[in-house]
PDB file of all heavy atoms in Angstrom:
ATOM      1  N   CYS Z  46       0.108  -4.937   2.462  1.00 97.00           N
ATOM      2  CA  CYS Z  46      -0.049  -6.364   2.822  1.00 97.00           C
ATOM      3  C   CYS Z  46       1.290  -7.146   2.772  1.00 97.00           C
ATOM      4  O   CYS Z  46       1.376  -8.184   3.307  1.00 97.00           O
ATOM      5  CB  CYS Z  46      -1.074  -7.048   1.866  1.00 97.00           C
ATOM      6  SG  CYS Z  46      -0.605  -7.051   0.224  1.00 97.00           S
ATOM      7  N   TYR Z  50       4.363 -10.901   5.868  1.00 94.00           N
ATOM      8  CA  TYR Z  50       5.195 -11.912   5.601  1.00 94.00           C
ATOM      9  C   TYR Z  50       6.500 -11.910   6.364  1.00 94.00           C
ATOM     10  O   TYR Z  50       7.575 -11.935   5.715  1.00 94.00           O
ATOM     11  CB  TYR Z  50       5.368 -12.158   4.108  1.00 94.00           C
ATOM     12  CG  TYR Z  50       4.055 -12.383   3.428  1.00 94.00           C
ATOM     13  CD1 TYR Z  50       3.395 -11.325   2.842  1.00 94.00           C
ATOM     14  CD2 TYR Z  50       3.571 -13.655   3.443  1.00 94.00           C
ATOM     15  CE1 TYR Z  50       2.255 -11.551   2.192  1.00 94.00           C
ATOM     16  CE2 TYR Z  50       2.306 -13.921   2.740  1.00 94.00           C
ATOM     17  CZ  TYR Z  50       1.632 -12.848   2.160  1.00 94.00           C
ATOM     18  OH  TYR Z  50       0.414 -13.038   1.460  1.00 94.00           O
ATOM     19  N   PHE Z  58       0.689 -18.327   6.096  1.00 96.00           N
ATOM     20  CA  PHE Z  58       0.227 -18.383   4.700  1.00 96.00           C
ATOM     21  C   PHE Z  58       0.355 -19.789   4.109  1.00 96.00           C
ATOM     22  O   PHE Z  58      -0.626 -20.305   3.541  1.00 96.00           O
ATOM     23  CB  PHE Z  58       0.967 -17.461   3.759  1.00 96.00           C
ATOM     24  CG  PHE Z  58       0.380 -17.467   2.369  1.00 96.00           C
ATOM     25  CD1 PHE Z  58      -0.963 -17.125   2.119  1.00 96.00           C
ATOM     26  CD2 PHE Z  58       1.249 -18.038   1.329  1.00 96.00           C
ATOM     27  CE1 PHE Z  58      -1.393 -17.375   0.717  1.00 96.00           C
ATOM     28  CE2 PHE Z  58       0.681 -18.105   0.066  1.00 96.00           C
ATOM     29  CZ  PHE Z  58      -0.543 -17.872  -0.222  1.00 96.00           C
ATOM     30  N   LEU Z  96       8.348 -14.121  -9.235  1.00 97.00           N
ATOM     31  CA  LEU Z  96       8.109 -12.878  -8.429  1.00 97.00           C
ATOM     32  C   LEU Z  96       7.328 -13.265  -7.169  1.00 97.00           C
ATOM     33  O   LEU Z  96       6.334 -14.132  -7.323  1.00 97.00           O
ATOM     34  CB  LEU Z  96       7.315 -11.968  -9.241  1.00 97.00           C
ATOM     35  CG  LEU Z  96       7.835 -11.527 -10.602  1.00 97.00           C
ATOM     36  CD1 LEU Z  96       6.938 -10.436 -11.247  1.00 97.00           C
ATOM     37  CD2 LEU Z  96       9.304 -11.050 -10.544  1.00 97.00           C
ATOM     38  N   GLY Z  97       7.712 -12.851  -6.008  1.00 91.00           N
ATOM     39  CA  GLY Z  97       6.944 -13.240  -4.794  1.00 91.00           C
ATOM     40  C   GLY Z  97       6.960 -14.728  -4.607  1.00 91.00           C
ATOM     41  O   GLY Z  97       5.886 -15.323  -4.428  1.00 91.00           O
ATOM     42  N   PHE Z 153       8.013  -6.832  -5.662  1.00 96.00           N
ATOM     43  CA  PHE Z 153       7.731  -6.883  -7.179  1.00 96.00           C
ATOM     44  C   PHE Z 153       7.084  -5.488  -7.722  1.00 96.00           C
ATOM     45  O   PHE Z 153       7.084  -5.286  -8.902  1.00 96.00           O
ATOM     46  CB  PHE Z 153       6.834  -8.094  -7.511  1.00 96.00           C
ATOM     47  CG  PHE Z 153       5.560  -8.152  -6.763  1.00 96.00           C
ATOM     48  CD1 PHE Z 153       4.476  -7.345  -6.969  1.00 96.00           C
ATOM     49  CD2 PHE Z 153       5.439  -9.054  -5.645  1.00 96.00           C
ATOM     50  CE1 PHE Z 153       3.373  -7.386  -6.239  1.00 96.00           C
ATOM     51  CE2 PHE Z 153       4.227  -9.079  -4.948  1.00 96.00           C
ATOM     52  CZ  PHE Z 153       3.257  -8.226  -5.220  1.00 96.00           C
ATOM     53  N   PHE Z 170       4.287 -15.377 -11.940  1.00 98.00           N
ATOM     54  CA  PHE Z 170       3.714 -14.615 -10.813  1.00 98.00           C
ATOM     55  C   PHE Z 170       2.467 -15.269 -10.421  1.00 98.00           C
ATOM     56  O   PHE Z 170       1.463 -15.031 -10.982  1.00 98.00           O
ATOM     57  CB  PHE Z 170       3.431 -13.127 -11.408  1.00 98.00           C
ATOM     58  CG  PHE Z 170       3.175 -12.131 -10.322  1.00 98.00           C
ATOM     59  CD1 PHE Z 170       3.779 -12.130  -9.085  1.00 98.00           C
ATOM     60  CD2 PHE Z 170       2.278 -11.092 -10.577  1.00 98.00           C
ATOM     61  CE1 PHE Z 170       3.518 -11.255  -8.098  1.00 98.00           C
ATOM     62  CE2 PHE Z 170       1.973 -10.123  -9.534  1.00 98.00           C
ATOM     63  CZ  PHE Z 170       2.617 -10.193  -8.321  1.00 98.00           C
ATOM     64  N   LEU Z 171       2.651 -16.168  -9.534  1.00 97.00           N
ATOM     65  CA  LEU Z 171       1.602 -17.177  -9.171  1.00 97.00           C
ATOM     66  C   LEU Z 171       0.753 -16.793  -7.996  1.00 97.00           C
ATOM     67  O   LEU Z 171       0.885 -15.723  -7.317  1.00 97.00           O
ATOM     68  CB  LEU Z 171       2.330 -18.537  -9.014  1.00 97.00           C
ATOM     69  CG  LEU Z 171       3.217 -18.951 -10.133  1.00 97.00           C
ATOM     70  CD1 LEU Z 171       3.948 -20.301  -9.694  1.00 97.00           C
ATOM     71  CD2 LEU Z 171       2.582 -19.063 -11.429  1.00 97.00           C
ATOM     72  N   ALA Z 172      -0.185 -17.713  -7.662  1.00 96.00           N
ATOM     73  CA  ALA Z 172      -0.946 -17.699  -6.453  1.00 96.00           C
ATOM     74  C   ALA Z 172      -2.059 -16.640  -6.460  1.00 96.00           C
ATOM     75  O   ALA Z 172      -2.672 -16.514  -5.447  1.00 96.00           O
ATOM     76  CB  ALA Z 172      -0.068 -17.555  -5.216  1.00 96.00           C
ATOM     77  N   GLY Z 173      -2.180 -15.876  -7.504  1.00 97.00           N
ATOM     78  CA  GLY Z 173      -3.180 -14.751  -7.411  1.00 97.00           C
ATOM     79  C   GLY Z 173      -2.669 -13.528  -6.759  1.00 97.00           C
ATOM     80  O   GLY Z 173      -3.418 -12.663  -6.392  1.00 97.00           O
ATOM     81  N   THR Z 174      -1.389 -13.506  -6.575  1.00 97.00           N
ATOM     82  CA  THR Z 174      -0.707 -12.333  -5.825  1.00 97.00           C
ATOM     83  C   THR Z 174      -0.971 -10.986  -6.628  1.00 97.00           C
ATOM     84  O   THR Z 174      -0.971  -9.984  -6.024  1.00 97.00           O
ATOM     85  CB  THR Z 174       0.748 -12.580  -5.568  1.00 97.00           C
ATOM     86  OG1 THR Z 174       0.880 -13.863  -4.797  1.00 97.00           O
ATOM     87  CG2 THR Z 174       1.434 -11.507  -4.795  1.00 97.00           C
ATOM     88  N   ILE Z 175      -1.141 -11.144  -7.965  1.00 98.00           N
ATOM     89  CA  ILE Z 175      -1.392  -9.910  -8.683  1.00 98.00           C
ATOM     90  C   ILE Z 175      -2.639  -9.210  -8.135  1.00 98.00           C
ATOM     91  O   ILE Z 175      -2.860  -8.061  -8.235  1.00 98.00           O
ATOM     92  CB  ILE Z 175      -1.580 -10.264 -10.176  1.00 98.00           C
ATOM     93  CG1 ILE Z 175      -1.519  -8.944 -11.000  1.00 98.00           C
ATOM     94  CG2 ILE Z 175      -2.907 -10.980 -10.516  1.00 98.00           C
ATOM     95  CD1 ILE Z 175      -1.166  -9.127 -12.402  1.00 98.00           C
ATOM     96  N   GLY Z 176      -3.541 -10.068  -7.532  1.00 98.00           N
ATOM     97  CA  GLY Z 176      -4.839  -9.504  -6.865  1.00 98.00           C
ATOM     98  C   GLY Z 176      -4.459  -8.525  -5.718  1.00 98.00           C
ATOM     99  O   GLY Z 176      -5.309  -7.629  -5.296  1.00 98.00           O
ATOM    100  N   ASN Z 177      -3.240  -8.541  -5.256  1.00 98.00           N
ATOM    101  CA  ASN Z 177      -2.929  -7.592  -4.119  1.00 98.00           C
ATOM    102  C   ASN Z 177      -2.743  -6.146  -4.684  1.00 98.00           C
ATOM    103  O   ASN Z 177      -2.619  -5.214  -3.908  1.00 98.00           O
ATOM    104  CB  ASN Z 177      -1.707  -8.062  -3.337  1.00 98.00           C
ATOM    105  CG  ASN Z 177      -1.968  -9.236  -2.481  1.00 98.00           C
ATOM    106  OD1 ASN Z 177      -1.085  -9.996  -2.241  1.00 98.00           O
ATOM    107  ND2 ASN Z 177      -3.236  -9.487  -2.008  1.00 98.00           N
ATOM    108  N   LEU Z 178      -2.546  -6.027  -5.992  1.00 98.00           N
ATOM    109  CA  LEU Z 178      -2.277  -4.797  -6.640  1.00 98.00           C
ATOM    110  C   LEU Z 178      -3.625  -4.164  -6.838  1.00 98.00           C
ATOM    111  O   LEU Z 178      -4.636  -4.909  -7.282  1.00 98.00           O
ATOM    112  CB  LEU Z 178      -1.480  -4.842  -7.934  1.00 98.00           C
ATOM    113  CG  LEU Z 178      -0.040  -5.283  -7.807  1.00 98.00           C
ATOM    114  CD1 LEU Z 178       0.504  -5.461  -9.254  1.00 98.00           C
ATOM    115  CD2 LEU Z 178       0.809  -4.136  -7.130  1.00 98.00           C
ATOM    116  N   VAL Z 202       0.767 -15.494 -15.257  1.00 98.00           N
ATOM    117  CA  VAL Z 202       0.130 -14.841 -14.136  1.00 98.00           C
ATOM    118  C   VAL Z 202      -0.895 -15.697 -13.605  1.00 98.00           C
ATOM    119  O   VAL Z 202      -1.904 -16.205 -14.312  1.00 98.00           O
ATOM    120  CB  VAL Z 202      -0.467 -13.462 -14.520  1.00 98.00           C
ATOM    121  CG1 VAL Z 202      -1.008 -12.769 -13.277  1.00 98.00           C
ATOM    122  CG2 VAL Z 202       0.590 -12.667 -15.247  1.00 98.00           C
ATOM    123  N   GLY Z 203      -1.027 -15.982 -12.231  1.00 98.00           N
ATOM    124  CA  GLY Z 203      -2.133 -16.694 -11.616  1.00 98.00           C
ATOM    125  C   GLY Z 203      -3.192 -15.637 -11.282  1.00 98.00           C
ATOM    126  O   GLY Z 203      -2.856 -14.707 -10.603  1.00 98.00           O
ATOM    127  N   VAL Z 204      -4.391 -15.983 -11.775  1.00 98.00           N
ATOM    128  CA  VAL Z 204      -5.538 -14.899 -11.639  1.00 98.00           C
ATOM    129  C   VAL Z 204      -6.675 -15.587 -10.856  1.00 98.00           C
ATOM    130  O   VAL Z 204      -7.201 -16.557 -11.308  1.00 98.00           O
ATOM    131  CB  VAL Z 204      -6.032 -14.503 -12.894  1.00 98.00           C
ATOM    132  CG1 VAL Z 204      -7.017 -13.373 -12.793  1.00 98.00           C
ATOM    133  CG2 VAL Z 204      -4.720 -13.973 -13.872  1.00 98.00           C
ATOM    134  N   ASP Z 205      -6.963 -15.041  -9.688  1.00 98.00           N
ATOM    135  CA  ASP Z 205      -8.288 -15.609  -9.078  1.00 98.00           C
ATOM    136  C   ASP Z 205      -9.421 -14.992  -9.563  1.00 98.00           C
ATOM    137  O   ASP Z 205      -9.430 -13.810 -10.050  1.00 98.00           O
ATOM    138  CB  ASP Z 205      -8.122 -15.386  -7.506  1.00 98.00           C
ATOM    139  CG  ASP Z 205      -9.127 -16.238  -6.798  1.00 98.00           C
ATOM    140  OD1 ASP Z 205      -9.526 -17.188  -7.322  1.00 98.00           O
ATOM    141  OD2 ASP Z 205      -9.268 -15.999  -5.568  1.00 98.00           O
ATOM    142  N   LEU Z 294      -6.028  -6.104  -0.180  1.00 98.00           N
ATOM    143  CA  LEU Z 294      -6.995  -6.240  -1.253  1.00 98.00           C
ATOM    144  C   LEU Z 294      -6.640  -7.547  -1.954  1.00 98.00           C
ATOM    145  O   LEU Z 294      -5.524  -7.770  -2.216  1.00 98.00           O
ATOM    146  CB  LEU Z 294      -6.829  -5.167  -2.301  1.00 98.00           C
ATOM    147  CG  LEU Z 294      -7.436  -3.691  -1.928  1.00 98.00           C
ATOM    148  CD1 LEU Z 294      -7.218  -2.906  -3.204  1.00 98.00           C
ATOM    149  CD2 LEU Z 294      -8.859  -3.909  -1.527  1.00 98.00           C
ATOM    150  N   SER Z 295      -7.643  -8.302  -2.430  1.00 98.00           N
ATOM    151  CA  SER Z 295      -7.465  -9.472  -3.251  1.00 98.00           C
ATOM    152  C   SER Z 295      -8.445  -9.378  -4.379  1.00 98.00           C
ATOM    153  O   SER Z 295      -9.495  -9.892  -4.256  1.00 98.00           O
ATOM    154  CB  SER Z 295      -7.568 -10.709  -2.327  1.00 98.00           C
ATOM    155  OG  SER Z 295      -7.075 -11.809  -3.067  1.00 98.00           O
ATOM    156  N   PHE Z 325     -10.126 -20.549 -10.884  1.00 98.00           N
ATOM    157  CA  PHE Z 325      -8.798 -19.845 -10.998  1.00 98.00           C
ATOM    158  C   PHE Z 325      -8.273 -20.019 -12.385  1.00 98.00           C
ATOM    159  O   PHE Z 325      -8.554 -20.899 -13.154  1.00 98.00           O
ATOM    160  CB  PHE Z 325      -7.872 -20.582  -9.977  1.00 98.00           C
ATOM    161  CG  PHE Z 325      -6.572 -19.799  -9.585  1.00 98.00           C
ATOM    162  CD1 PHE Z 325      -6.558 -19.042  -8.561  1.00 98.00           C
ATOM    163  CD2 PHE Z 325      -5.427 -19.927 -10.426  1.00 98.00           C
ATOM    164  CE1 PHE Z 325      -5.467 -18.270  -8.251  1.00 98.00           C
ATOM    165  CE2 PHE Z 325      -4.259 -19.180 -10.174  1.00 98.00           C
ATOM    166  CZ  PHE Z 325      -4.289 -18.435  -9.040  1.00 98.00           C
TER     167      PHE Z 325
END
Side-chain angles (χ1 to χ4, degrees):
C46 63
Y50 300 96
F58 178 66
L96 308 180
F153 56 73
F170 192 35
L171 306 180
T174 304
I175 197 161
N177 289 154
L178 294 169
V202 186
V204 184
D205 197 12
L294 281 187
S295 190
F325 196 92

